[in-house]
Amino acid sequence: MKSQVLKIKAFALVLILGLSLSAFGLMEKEKRTFLETHKGSIWKYGEPSEGLTIYAQINKTEADPFKIWVYNVIDDCYMYEKMSESGTAEVLENKKNKVQVKIKENADEHGIFTMTINGNAMNVQLDSYEEGKLVKEENFVLNRSTDKVEDLVVCRN
């Protein structure tokens, strides 16, 4: 009888520990930001045959939120930009399901990209501003890609 009670107590202890660790894991997932959750993922817009292809890779840090490759049809290569090197990106919001990044073109012009992911589609809203006024709103969708961006031919400067 005593061994039965010990087995029940041991089972209860294991169950409580398991539930606690599971709940802690869920809380940790809840705390993760958009950039942390989707780091390393590759997204693609268009095809080279259509004249416009863009690849975007999401990075984990706000200092370097993403990398971009844009197809240059004239030279048949991709222009590469790492946001941290250009110094133009500022993460305004980085929540679980949404990231918002401000990209400065110059002192008077900037764009705000708002990105959300739904399955294999990344919805992007671009609001363009000139002298502090909204001048254009655009929406487009990038699809999750398994293409290897390291294999892209990058244009020489």
Side-chain angles (χ1 to χ4, degrees), residues 18-32:
L19 290 174
S20 296
L21 291 174
S22 176
F24 179 73
L26 288 174
M27 286 179 5
E28 284 300 307
K29 281 185 180 178
E30 295 285 325
K31 291 180 185 178
R32 289 175 55 184

Side-chain angles (χ1 to χ4, degrees), residues 13-127:
L13 181 61
V14 168
L15 184 63
I16 290 170
L17 284 172
L19 290 174
S20 296
L21 291 174
S22 176
F24 179 73
L26 288 174
M27 286 179 5
E28 284 300 307
K29 281 185 180 178
E30 295 285 325
K31 291 180 185 178
R32 289 175 55 184
T33 66
F34 183 95
L35 296 176
E36 289 171 329
T37 301
H38 301 290
K39 71 178 182 235
S41 61
I42 305 293
W43 302 86
K44 183 179 181 181
Y45 178 84
E47 293 293 334
S49 61
E50 297 168 0
L52 177 64
T53 304
I54 299 171
Y55 285 97
Q57 179 179 352
I58 297 174
N59 295 325
K60 181 178 178 180
T61 67
E62 290 189 12
D64 186 20
F66 49 90
K67 298 174 186 173
I68 298 174
W69 293 261
V70 179
Y71 183 65
N72 176 341
V73 69
I74 294 169
D75 296 327
D76 191 30
C77 57
Y78 286 84
M79 296 177 288
Y80 169 75
E81 185 170 1
K82 188 175 179 181
M83 289 293 124
S84 64
E85 291 174 355
S86 65
T88 62
E90 174 189 355
V91 176
L92 303 175
E93 184 177 336
N94 186 13
K95 295 188 176 177
K96 179 182 175 191
N97 297 318
K98 176 173 108 174
V99 69
Q100 194 170 56
V101 180
K102 179 179 181 179
I103 308 285
K104 282 186 173 182
E105 293 297 321
N106 58 47
D108 295 331
E109 297 178 20
H110 71 274
I112 296 179
F113 289 85
T114 303
M115 293 165 262
T116 57
I117 293 177
N118 185 7
N120 288 323
M122 179 166 53
N123 300 301
V124 180
Q125 177 182 332
L126 169 59
D127 296 332

Side-chain angles (χ1 to χ4, degrees), residues 144-155:
R144 189 178 302 270
S145 176
T146 58
D147 294 353
K148 304 244 184 271
V149 291
E150 58 271 7
D151 292 343
L152 297 175
V153 176
V154 176
C155 302

